[in-house]
Amino acid sequence: MVVPVRPVHVAVLDFHLRDLTGDRLLAEFKRPEYQTAVIMITTDPTPDLATTLMRQGADAYVRKPFDPAYLIDLCEKVRRERALLRVEALLEARTRQLRESETRFRLLFHSIPEAVLLYDLRGVVLQVNAFGCRQFGADEAEIAGHDLRSFLEPAAAEALEERIRATLDEGACSFEMTCLSRGGRRFDVEVNQRLVEYDGDRAVLCVARDLTERRRTEEERRRLEAKMRHTQKLESLGILAGGIAHDFNNLLMGVLGNAGLALMELSPESPVRQRVQQIE
């Protein structure tokens, strides 16, 4: 059986061959890896044969005798149709891949445990993830399409244009600012943002990390460190006081010992006995 050595665009098969019928070759030419358009020709006037061959995958059917120019035009037409089908299949596959990629992106975007915003160079929010919505106390529709400045304290809102210029100049920048939720809660964030392309235009991708917990932890650490330093001071004072008391006790023992010895040597009538007793 003859099979194509390499893929061809259009094959013309005669149904009545010397050793076999053309329908046996049809399946070989219509293998998916070839993507070949096949035109069957025959002298058989039976319409059932044409229907059968078309069902088996033939792209066109020509009954002999025929004008060669007609066959050439038909080949060109079938080739164009096959090319169009390949383009449509490719577009469909690319569209499917794009949808899958977009779905993966949205899942990743909304699963990031930091507030992520995309806003244009005017400061209008284009997209915000689920964590950012929770931080700002609003849903996506209440944030996207609105000016980011409405979610910032006045000083941070005034500095936003400067931050955008810095991002345009450097491509990225980092800073801290204070945000406001819809409920009026103030919270400080550490911002890392960079310049990106969005829908053919420039935009700013912003990742804002809430500093509330970090600062609470740092404050607790400072409090514990201060408490530890105070405890260490008290321990040092205790050790110092104990040492002083020990040294002073040694001195007192000398005074008391000598006073006692002096009283033992003094007679009861001695005029200094009362003085030594006072010392003791």
Side-chain angles (χ1 to χ4, degrees):
M1 182 180 292
V2 179
V3 295
V5 176
R6 60 182 181 178
V8 294
H9 295 298
V10 181
V12 179
L13 298 180
D14 195 329
F15 180 76
H16 300 284
L17 300 174
R18 179 179 301 176
D19 301 323
L20 72 167
T21 55
D23 57 341
R24 296 181 59 186
L25 288 177
L26 178 60
E28 293 297 324
F29 278 95
K30 296 302 292 185
R31 287 163 61 179
E33 62 267 28
Y34 290 156
Q35 296 184 350
T36 302
V38 178
I39 299 175
M40 301 296 300
I41 59 176
T42 180
T43 57
D44 194 329
T46 308
D48 292 342
L49 178 61
T51 303
T52 301
L53 292 174
M54 296 296 284
R55 286 176 178 172
Q56 291 176 351
D59 294 274
Y61 180 88
V62 179
R63 189 173 290 114
K64 296 178 182 179
F66 54 81
D67 185 354
Y70 169 75
L71 180 61
I72 293 173
D73 289 342
L74 183 60
C75 288
E76 181 62 25
K77 177 183 177 182
V78 169
R79 186 191 67 80
R80 287 196 303 267
E81 290 177 350
R82 175 61 59 176
L84 182 60
L85 288 174
R86 285 198 296 269
V87 170
E88 290 178 351
L90 180 61
L91 287 175
E92 183 179 353
R94 293 288 174 83
T95 302
R96 184 172 60 255
Q97 292 172 0
L98 183 61
R99 290 194 185 119
E100 292 172 353
S101 177
E102 182 179 355
T103 300
R104 287 194 298 270
F105 166 77
R106 290 191 64 83
L107 287 173
L108 176 63
F109 183 68
H110 287 289
S111 64
I112 296 175
E114 307 287 353
V116 183
L117 301 97
L118 186 70
Y119 63 91
D120 63 20
L121 301 186
R122 298 172 300 162
V124 177
V125 179
L126 303 172
Q127 287 190 29
V128 58
N129 70 342
F131 191 91
C133 291
R134 290 195 296 271
Q135 287 290 89
F136 289 108
D139 58 32
E140 188 173 357
E142 293 175 311
I143 301 175
H146 294 79
D147 197 318
L148 179 60
R149 295 172 181 83
S150 63
F151 295 93
L152 306 178
E153 68 154 4
E158 292 177 3
L160 183 63
E161 188 173 349
E162 180 182 347
R163 305 297 188 190
I164 294 174
R165 283 199 303 268
T167 305
L168 287 172
D169 294 339
E170 304 295 333
C173 70
S174 301
F175 53 91
E176 292 184 6
M177 66 179 180
T178 303
C179 299
L180 296 172
S181 71
R182 278 294 188 228
R185 182 178 72 91
R186 297 164 61 91
F187 57 98
D188 295 330
V189 294
E190 178 184 60
V191 177
N192 289 283
Q193 64 183 31
R194 64 175 54 252
L195 194 65
V196 297
E197 184 175 337
Y198 180 78
D199 281 349
D201 204 352
R202 292 181 299 177
V204 178
L205 179 64
C206 167
V207 179
R209 175 173 297 175
D210 192 347
L211 296 176
T212 304
E213 187 61 33
R214 181 196 296 181
R215 290 186 172 170
R216 183 184 297 115
T217 302
E218 290 176 352
E219 180 62 29
E220 181 65 18
R221 180 179 56 81
R222 286 193 294 267
R223 189 184 67 80
L224 291 174
E225 288 177 350
K227 185 177 180 180
M228 185 177 295
R229 285 194 298 269
H230 181 66
T231 302
Q232 289 172 343
K233 285 180 181 179
L234 292 177
E235 290 176 354
S236 299
L237 287 173
I239 293 172
L240 178 61
I244 293 173
H246 180 72
D247 292 341
F248 192 59
N249 187 61
N250 290 338
L251 295 173
L252 291 178
M253 289 299 293
V255 174
L256 289 172
N258 282 286
L261 290 173
L263 287 173
M264 291 172 63
E265 295 178 0
L266 291 174
S267 65
E269 294 81 13
S270 174
V272 297
R273 186 177 182 83
Q274 186 179 1
R275 302 284 188 181
V276 176
Q277 286 178 336
Q278 288 178 353
I279 292 172
E280 190 180 39

